[in-house]
Amino acid sequence: MEKHKYLLEINDLSIHFFTEEGTIKAVNDLSFNLRPGKTIGLVGETGAGKTTTALGIMSLVQTPPGLVVSGEVKFEGEDLLKLSEAEMRKVRGNKISMIFQDPMTSLNPVFPVRDQIAEVILLHENISVKDANLKAEEMLEKVGIRKERAGDYPHQFSGGMRQRVVIAIALACNPALLIADEPTTALDVTIQAQVLELMKSLKTELNTSMIMITHDLGIVAEICDKVAIMYAGSVVEFANKDELFKNPKHPYTVGLFNSIPDIEKDTDTLKPIQGIMPDPMNLPEGCPFHPRCDHAKPICAQKYPKKLGIGEVGHFVKCHMYSEKGEW
């Protein structure tokens, strides 16, 4: 098979929802890429379009009212948006898997966990039921659950254990890409750390690429190689993790870092970002962040900023402050 530089390339993706009240512009001209074996963090507030982006990659946007209005999602060089539903079913759970936020709603309460892992294996691999069950038990062991518990039902497991089962289902067919949608949100801090450590070790062992959707920059620091900062459905800054943490450029990214306590600085109060995320049905003209930005100038309310390379290679930002025409 032909080797591609990027496992996943998203170019100018826009996903809108057409309702009676108006058009919800959930994702707008979104672009980023991911190399094989790497992890990218999609970071932003609630409503930034992170989950909709993931559903767009998986072709799971509910139509109607949702519609991918433009762009391409290239996976291993092939545009997933051009595949039929039957072709996408062969990709989902096999080459690309997704872990959702709440493990309880991801699992079927009336089937033992072994059956739920084996179902994915039987769907994508030419294998007997007996062998699929054995592989399901192996996957449970891999995520730290004894195989003797394979016949138990989801309600017999704690939240952290259920999330481990969901991870076992997602990795059962050794996907090339794993999308994790805030996989530790419903868990307490100790269990969060265990689940993240597990995902990190399994990702290395299986050489899986990963998209980690989160609003927690601590998780990004722990697990990601690249970071895409999302605001109002678009990536406003994209960089290597180390570069982004040392040298954030977009005012929104700087605002995110300013709202986190720094152990090395003695500060009495944190500086929150003023205002709230704009209504996706009524996005402001120009840069969508300008009503909340301390640096906003007239151009920001008039013109949408272009993506510009800045600083280190691979560091991009959408902000008029760094305009090549010197409009700032």
Side-chain angles (χ1 to χ4, degrees), residues 233-250:
S234 185
V235 172
V236 294
E237 186 161 7
F238 181 83
N240 286 323
K241 174 185 69 183
D242 293 344
E243 167 78 358
L244 188 92
F245 274 65
K246 283 181 202 155
N247 197 16
K249 292 291 188 186
H250 196 281

Side-chain angles (χ1 to χ4, degrees), residues 14-247:
S14 293
I15 303 170
H16 296 172
F17 292 84
F18 298 93
T19 69
E20 288 178 7
E21 288 78 29
T23 302
I24 298 166
K25 295 176 178 177
V27 175
N28 305 292
D29 299 320
L30 180 134
S31 301
F32 68 83
N33 51 54
L34 179 62
R35 290 177 187 271
K38 298 293 182 185
T39 297
I40 185 171
L42 284 192
V43 183
E45 294 169 86
T46 302
K50 305 184 297 292
T51 300
T52 306
T53 300
L55 295 174
I57 295 167
M58 299 283 281
S59 289
L60 288 174
V61 174
Q62 190 174 346
T63 308
L67 190 67
V68 176
V69 292
S70 66
E72 56 182 14
V73 177
K74 282 191 171 178
F75 177 74
E76 294 179 339
E78 184 173 35
D79 189 354
L80 297 181
L81 300 178
K82 291 190 172 139
L83 298 186
S84 67
E85 178 55 27
E87 288 169 324
M88 262 315 288
R89 277 200 204 109
K90 291 176 186 170
V91 174
R92 279 188 221 115
N94 185 20
K95 290 184 173 181
I96 306 176
S97 281
M98 187 160 171
I99 300 169
F100 294 91
Q101 281 188 38
D102 184 0
M104 202 58 214
T105 55
S106 304
L107 295 169
N108 192 321
V110 299
F111 289 105
V113 296
R114 180 205 290 116
D115 295 13
Q116 300 190 50
I117 302 169
E119 182 184 14
V120 182
I121 299 164
L122 286 165
L123 195 62
H124 295 294
E125 294 181 18
N126 188 11
I127 194 171
S128 69
V129 173
K130 185 184 173 189
D131 287 342
N133 284 335
L134 285 171
K135 191 172 177 186
E137 288 174 9
E138 279 172 29
M139 283 307 302
L140 280 176
E141 294 265 352
K142 207 167 254 188
V143 297
I145 297 173
R146 288 179 297 112
K147 64 181 178 187
E148 289 79 14
R149 298 208 59 190
D152 287 357
Y153 292 83
H155 72 270
Q156 294 173 282
F157 292 89
S158 67
M161 296 286 258
R162 284 197 291 262
Q163 194 61 294
R164 286 169 185 264
V165 173
V166 171
I167 291 168
I169 292 170
L171 295 174
C173 293
N174 197 1
L177 175 62
L178 178 66
I179 302 172
D181 187 2
E182 306 208 20
T184 58
T185 298
L187 310 175
D188 67 53
V189 178
T190 316
I191 306 300
Q192 269 189 28
Q194 290 174 7
V195 169
L196 284 175
E197 201 51 50
L198 169 72
M199 289 175 72
K200 230 163 88 173
S201 62
L202 287 173
K203 173 192 164 291
T204 307
E205 184 187 330
L206 302 170
N207 195 31
T208 304
S209 298
M210 187 155 72
I211 296 174
M212 172 63 77
I213 295 172
T214 183
H215 52 251
D216 187 335
L217 286 162
I219 289 175
V220 171
E222 182 73 23
I223 213 164
C224 298
D225 303 301
K226 300 245 179 190
V227 191
I229 302 289
M230 285 189 71
Y231 187 82
S234 185
V235 172
V236 294
E237 186 161 7
F238 181 83
N240 286 323
K241 174 185 69 183
D242 293 344
E243 167 78 358
L244 188 92
F245 274 65
K246 283 181 202 155
N247 197 16

